[in-house]
Amino acid sequence: MMTLTRYGLREWGTAGLITLVILIGCWYLIRHGHPEWGWPVAGVVVVLFLAFAAFFRNPSRTIPADPAVLVGPADGVVRDIEVVEDFNFPPFDGKARRIGIFLSVLNVHVNRAPAELEVESKFYREGEYLDARNSECAKRNEAMTIAGGKRFPLAVRQISGAIARRIVCPVDPGRKLRKGEVYGMIKFGSRTELYLPVDGFEINVKVGDRVYGGETVMATVKE
């Protein structure tokens, strides 16, 4: 089932009202002898609205039940997998393994919790709006990070891109998220990063893989 996320209600709701007004105008033209204008304009307006609304789609996903499995926090393509040395967001205090996902404007833009997560810390970083494909965007762009854990430390970072200029993350410390739960979005594409402890996990994706939020198995806890 496909729905539109509530995090884009202002945008797709406003676009829907504008579309409705224009369609009423098109109906008026058609009824008054100008179908050569009314029908083409109506068709273009409907296509434009559907394309715009697609940015805010929130498809249902089948969430793996296995508690040892971590799922994708976003739709997109894996850009990098590496160890960072300075990830100091409680409960992390230094090293962490980062899996970076690039989101194009065509991807689903909602973010999901990779596993059960009780949020311990939240940090907003002001920054630039470099293209999300730029290797410097992870360090310099606007970003929002939530971190915490249940069975193990876990963090997700939302990063703005050249087009994405608004991060939505209505989650505060103390909030408990279910695995696969939608908790926010980055509007119009960008980058999402998953942070895990360096040891104790098998990484199930590689650079270049296409992943799907809430569904793709990103990593598995080692027994």
Side-chain angles (χ1 to χ4, degrees), residues 143-155:
M144 180 74 78
T145 305
I146 60 170
K150 189 170 183 182
R151 296 177 59 197
F152 42 78
L154 179 67

Side-chain angles (χ1 to χ4, degrees), residues 25-78:
C26 291
W27 175 82
Y28 180 85
L29 288 173
I30 293 168
R31 289 292 300 271
H32 289 79
H34 296 285
E36 73 279 8
W37 289 101
W39 287 115
V41 172
V44 170
V45 168
V46 169
V47 170
L48 288 176
F49 170 72
L50 292 176
F52 181 78
F55 286 119
F56 301 97
R57 65 194 186 278
N58 181 20
S60 60
R61 295 283 165 81
T62 301
I63 315 298
D66 187 347
V69 162
L70 281 72
V71 296
D75 286 30
V77 175
V78 177

Side-chain angles (χ1 to χ4, degrees), residues 67 69-71 112-118 150 152 154 156 177-181 194:
V69 162
L70 281 72
V71 296
R112 295 175 179 267
E116 287 190 59
L117 171 64
E118 182 170 353
K150 189 170 183 182
F152 42 78
L154 179 67
V156 182
L177 298 173
R178 304 181 309 275
K179 181 164 68 173
E181 180 180 352
L194 170 61

Side-chain angles (χ1 to χ4, degrees), residues 4-155:
L4 296 180
T5 176
R6 61 188 176 90
Y7 299 128
L9 178 60
R10 182 178 62 181
E11 288 86 354
W12 59 258
T14 300
L17 288 174
I18 293 172
T19 299
L20 179 61
V21 170
I22 295 174
L23 289 178
I24 291 173
C26 291
W27 175 82
Y28 180 85
L29 288 173
I30 293 168
R31 289 292 300 271
H32 289 79
H34 296 285
E36 73 279 8
W37 289 101
W39 287 115
V41 172
V44 170
V45 168
V46 169
V47 170
L48 288 176
F49 170 72
L50 292 176
F52 181 78
F55 286 119
F56 301 97
R57 65 194 186 278
N58 181 20
S60 60
R61 295 283 165 81
T62 301
I63 315 298
D66 187 347
V69 162
L70 281 72
V71 296
D75 286 30
V77 175
V78 177
R79 280 283 180 180
D80 49 78
I81 302 174
E82 58 188 26
V83 174
V84 296
E85 302 287 342
D86 57 350
F87 194 72
N88 297 303
F89 297 89
F92 290 89
D93 60 356
K95 281 188 177 183
R97 189 177 303 278
R98 180 182 72 197
I99 304 176
I101 302 169
F102 168 72
L103 291 74
S104 78
V105 294
L106 299 178
N107 287 125
V108 173
H109 307 299
V110 296
N111 291 118
R112 295 175 179 267
E116 287 190 59
L117 171 64
E118 182 170 353
V119 179
E120 184 175 334
S121 62
K122 178 180 180 180
F123 178 75
Y124 173 74
R125 180 184 72 196
E126 294 184 353
E128 302 176 52
Y129 297 98
L130 301 175
D131 189 299
R133 291 166 292 189
N134 189 315
S135 60
E136 290 294 307
C137 82
K139 300 177 182 178
R140 294 166 52 184
N141 279 20
E142 176 193 39
M144 180 74 78
T145 305
I146 60 170
K150 189 170 183 182
R151 296 177 59 197
F152 42 78
L154 179 67

